[in-house]
Amino acid sequence: MEEIRRKQLTKKETQKRLMKRLQASQPTGAILFISIIVLLISMVISLGLGSVQISWRTILEGLTAFEETNTHHLILYDLRIPRVVGAALVGAFLSVSGVIMQALTLNPLASPSIMGVTSGSAFMIAIAFAFFPLSNHYQLILWSFLGAGLGAGLVFFIGSFTKRGLTPVKLALAGAAVSTLLQSLSTMIALHFNVARDTSFWLAGGVAGVRMESVLVALLFAGLALIVAFALSRSLTILSLGEEMAKGLGLKVTVIKWIALLVVLILTGTAVSIAGAVGFVGLVIPHITKKIMGLDYRWVIPGSIVFGALLMVWADTLARIINPPYETPVGALTALLGVPFFLVLARKEGRG
C-alpha cells in the first residue's frame, strides 16, 4: 500500500514538474510578432524577384493603382501574388501537419512526407488525371484528401506488424517504403495514361502557375482545419507528454487523436493540391519552432505557421532566381535542407 502511494506521489510530482517546464518555456509574443514582420517583408521582396525583375516602386503602384496596360502589374497580379501567397499557405499547412503528427505519435521523425501522407495525395491526384481528366480544383482537393488517408493508413498498417511496437525509426522506414511505392505507381500511371506532363508538377513540387482562385479554394478548405488545430493546442501539449499522463489528466485521448488526424489529412491534402509533393517542410519546421518557441503548443502551432510560410516563400523565391528563366523544383530545394536534417535525427533516434 505504501509503495502504491509512493508511486502516485511520484507521478504527481512528475506531472507538476513537466507542467512547470511547459509554462516556463512560454516566450513573450515579441518573437512571434517579429517573425510575422519578417514574413511580410520576405513576401514583398519575393514579389519583385524572378526572371522578370519588378522594382519596389512598381510593386507599390501595382498594389495601389493597378493598370491593365502595364505588363509588370499584370505579372504581379496574375503570377507573383498568387504564387507567393500559395507558397506561404503550403508552408503553413505542412508545418502544422508535422507538428500535430509528432505530438500524436511522440515520434520526432514524423512528418507528412516521411509518413507517406504527401505521396498518397500525389498518387490519388495522378489517378484523378488519368481517369477523371475534367476534375476541377474542388475535386482535386477531395482526391488529395483520400490519398493522404491512404498513405497514412498503409504506413500504420505495415508498421503494426513490427515487433516491439512502432519505434520512430521503424515508422520512418515504413513511411519511406510506402512513399517509394506510391511515387513509383504515380509515375507508372502517368506514363501509361499519357498524363506525365500534368502529374510531373505534383511529383516535383512547386507553386509555379498557381492561380488566386485555387489559393482561395484551398484556404476555404484548410482554414477551418487551422482553427481546429488552434483549439486542440492545449490538448496536444498534454498529449505530447505521453498517453498515460494525458489520460491521468482527464484528456479524451482517442477523440483528440481522431480529430487531430483529420486535421492533418485536410491540411496535407490541401497543400499537395496546391504545390504537389513538397517534402521535409513538416519535419524541419516543427523542430526549429520548438527550439525557438518552447514546448507549449499554444505557441508552437502559430510559430510553425509563420516559420513554415517563411521557409516556403524563400524556397519558391530561390526556385525562380537560381536558373532563370527556368524553374527549379521547390521540392528539390526543401530536400537539400531536409535530408541532412532527417539523417541527423534518424541517427540520434537509432542510438536511442
Side-chain angles (χ1 to χ4, degrees):
M1 193 74 180
E2 186 67 28
E3 187 179 347
I4 295 172
R5 195 172 166 189
R6 198 183 306 116
K7 284 183 179 178
Q8 289 176 342
L9 287 172
T10 305
K11 187 177 179 181
K12 287 181 180 178
E13 287 175 4
T14 305
Q15 290 176 0
K16 286 180 181 179
R17 286 179 185 176
L18 287 169
M19 294 309 292
K20 282 181 180 178
R21 193 180 75 172
L22 288 175
Q23 291 171 358
S25 70
Q26 290 184 0
T28 62
I31 297 174
L32 188 61
F33 178 75
I34 293 170
S35 301
I36 293 171
I37 297 299
V38 172
L39 173 61
L40 294 175
I41 293 172
S42 299
M43 291 176 73
V44 174
I45 292 173
S46 182
L47 290 175
L49 299 177
S51 56
V52 177
Q53 301 290 330
I54 302 177
S55 66
W56 288 78
R57 183 177 178 181
T58 305
I59 293 173
L60 183 61
E61 289 175 353
L63 294 175
T64 56
F66 174 75
E67 295 180 10
E68 293 184 358
T69 56
N70 190 314
T71 304
H72 284 174
H73 288 188
L74 291 174
I75 291 174
L76 192 66
Y77 271 87
D78 293 341
L79 300 177
R80 297 283 172 82
I81 292 178
R83 74 179 295 169
V84 170
V85 175
L89 290 178
V90 167
F93 297 161
L94 292 177
S95 299
V96 174
S97 295
V99 163
I100 294 174
M101 290 182 76
Q102 290 176 16
L104 291 180
T105 61
L106 299 179
N107 183 353
L109 299 178
S111 76
S113 57
I114 292 173
M115 303 288 283
V117 181
T118 303
S119 298
S121 292
F123 169 70
M124 291 304 289
I125 284 180
I127 294 246
F129 278 126
F131 296 101
F132 306 95
L134 299 179
S135 298
N136 57 36
H137 197 74
Y138 290 96
Q139 292 166 334
L140 286 179
I141 290 179
L142 292 175
W143 280 106
S144 192
F145 291 163
L146 292 175
L150 172 67
L154 284 174
V155 169
F156 283 100
F157 177 73
I158 293 172
S160 65
F161 290 101
T162 61
K163 295 180 180 179
R164 298 179 184 176
L166 288 170
T167 64
V169 174
K170 286 179 181 178
L171 206 54
L173 289 173
V178 169
S179 296
T180 303
L181 172 65
L182 293 176
Q183 287 170 4
S184 300
L185 290 175
S186 299
T187 303
M188 183 180 70
I189 290 170
L191 293 173
H192 181 75
F193 291 95
N194 198 27
V195 290
R197 189 172 181 180
D198 295 323
T199 58
S200 60
F201 166 78
W202 271 270
L203 295 177
V207 288
V210 172
R211 294 288 178 264
M212 187 55 74
E213 293 81 7
S214 302
V215 172
L216 293 176
V217 170
L219 188 59
L220 177 66
F221 274 87
L224 181 60
L226 283 178
I227 294 172
V228 175
F230 277 110
L232 291 175
S233 59
R234 184 179 178 278
S235 298
L236 291 173
T237 301
I238 298 172
L239 191 59
S240 67
L241 303 176
E243 281 195 33
E244 289 185 7
M245 188 170 292
K247 289 177 180 177
L249 293 173
L251 192 69
K252 296 180 180 178
V253 174
T254 304
V255 175
I256 295 299
K257 281 192 169 185
W258 277 108
I259 296 174
L261 182 59
L262 181 61
V263 170
V264 168
L265 297 182
I266 292 174
L267 291 176
T268 305
T270 305
V272 174
S273 72
I274 299 175
V278 177
F280 297 103
V281 176
L283 173 69
V284 175
I285 294 300
H287 287 279
I288 293 174
T289 305
K290 289 172 190 174
K291 288 290 184 184
I292 296 173
M293 305 298 289
L295 301 174
D296 190 334
Y297 280 69
R298 289 175 293 182
W299 289 100
V300 171
I301 288 178
S304 65
I305 289 174
V306 178
F307 297 144
L310 193 59
L311 173 62
M312 274 298 294
V313 166
W314 278 110
D316 176 55
T317 304
L318 290 174
R320 279 182 264 150
I321 64 177
I322 285 177
N323 188 29
Y326 303 104
E327 290 274 349
T328 302
V330 173
L333 297 178
T334 57
L336 287 175
L337 173 65
V339 169
F341 197 93
F342 171 75
L343 292 175
V344 171
L345 281 176
R347 180 180 174 83
K348 180 180 177 182
E349 290 304 314
R351 286 201 303 266

